[in-house]
Amino acid sequence: MEDVILDVPFAEKDEAKALGAKWNPAIKKWYVPKGSDTSKFRRWFPDSVCDPEISIKAPLYLLQSSTPCWRCNEKAVVFCLASEGLIDKYEDEMELDMFVTYHNLVEVPEQISTILKSQAATYYPDYTKQSNSTYYVNHCHCGAKLGDFYLHEEPGGAFCPVEKRQAEQVNVIELDGVNETQISAGYGVQDLELISVYGKR
């Protein structure tokens, strides 16, 4: 696990420091040293200062797929969350009743965080320069960060299949005991719901 970059206002720097945050003079940012508990720093995760905006409808799934690593060219195992629907409170309580995948995951309740640590150890909060933010990022065994844009937005990406054969490579793992909950994340809906229909369950 790598350092987690924080977005700490100047007026709160002493508080962050007292909790264990360190200053990186090269990028002029506070950060949580690798291996530390990040839960007490969540309010300083970039783009996570507001309350969770998505209410996930149960059941909740952990998706597992693979993608070529841009650094070592080997296959890397990648993860994301999905559900059978949601309520978006920032879009006039818009309700979706279809298979939804989540990207740029910023805030999750402790129950889900614990599950991700045990079942998706290479998927954890980290800072990416491309997005200039901290969110749950997939990592290759070589340490390379595998950003969400290619995995979720590029046709043929690990979680953006365009044909049955690609969707069949995705494992769909239902997370038992997780009821409706709230997260901060972006989400996407596939027109054909290929993962929902052809993913391995």
Side-chain angles (χ1 to χ4, degrees):
M1 188 169 183
E2 298 185 14
D3 298 337
V4 177
I5 306 300
L6 304 174
D7 189 4
V8 180
F10 181 80
E12 298 174 13
K13 64 181 179 63
D14 291 337
E15 185 179 356
K17 183 178 180 180
L19 289 173
K22 304 294 183 184
W23 177 252
N24 184 329
I27 62 174
K28 297 182 180 179
K29 289 278 189 179
W30 291 90
Y31 68 94
V32 183
K34 60 183 178 182
S36 302
D37 178 13
T38 61
S39 61
K40 55 189 174 182
F41 300 96
R42 289 191 181 280
R43 64 180 160 133
W44 293 308
F45 283 4
D47 301 325
S48 64
V49 293
C50 57
D51 292 332
E53 67 271 16
I54 305 296
S55 290
I56 292 179
K57 294 182 177 182
L60 181 64
Y61 304 102
L62 177 65
L63 304 187
Q64 177 185 333
S65 187
S66 65
T67 191
C69 174
W70 59 267
R71 178 187 288 170
C72 69
N73 293 319
E74 295 186 16
K75 277 194 173 183
V77 178
V78 290
F79 302 90
C80 79
L81 295 178
S83 72
E84 297 288 355
L86 62 80
I87 298 174
D88 187 340
K89 75 176 186 179
Y90 285 118
E91 291 291 342
D92 298 322
E93 299 291 328
M94 180 183 70
E95 187 169 352
L96 295 177
D97 289 305
M98 59 184 65
F99 195 79
V100 181
T101 58
Y102 299 94
H103 56 83
N104 294 95
L105 182 64
V106 176
E107 186 76 20
V108 297
E110 185 176 353
Q111 180 187 19
I112 296 177
S113 175
T114 300
I115 291 172
L116 293 177
K117 286 178 182 178
S118 65
Q119 298 189 37
T122 55
Y123 184 50
Y124 53 83
D126 206 348
Y127 174 81
T128 68
K129 290 182 180 179
Q130 186 171 3
S131 66
N132 191 30
S133 64
T134 297
Y135 64 92
Y136 273 79
V137 179
N138 282 282
H139 297 75
C140 178
H141 64 85
C142 74
K145 301 173 188 178
L146 307 172
D148 271 4
F149 180 81
Y150 177 73
L151 300 177
H152 291 266
E153 304 293 335
E154 288 286 333
F159 303 115
C160 190
V162 294
E163 58 185 20
K164 175 184 175 182
R165 176 184 58 82
Q166 294 172 338
E168 290 174 337
Q169 304 306 308
V170 181
N171 292 317
V172 181
I173 305 161
E174 183 171 345
L175 301 181
D176 296 329
V178 179
N179 298 316
E180 182 173 317
T181 189
Q182 293 188 326
I183 64 171
S184 290
Y187 57 89
V189 177
Q190 298 170 17
D191 292 339
L192 300 177
E193 296 192 30
L194 288 171
I195 295 176
S196 177
V197 176
Y198 299 114
K200 299 177 186 176
R201 296 178 184 259

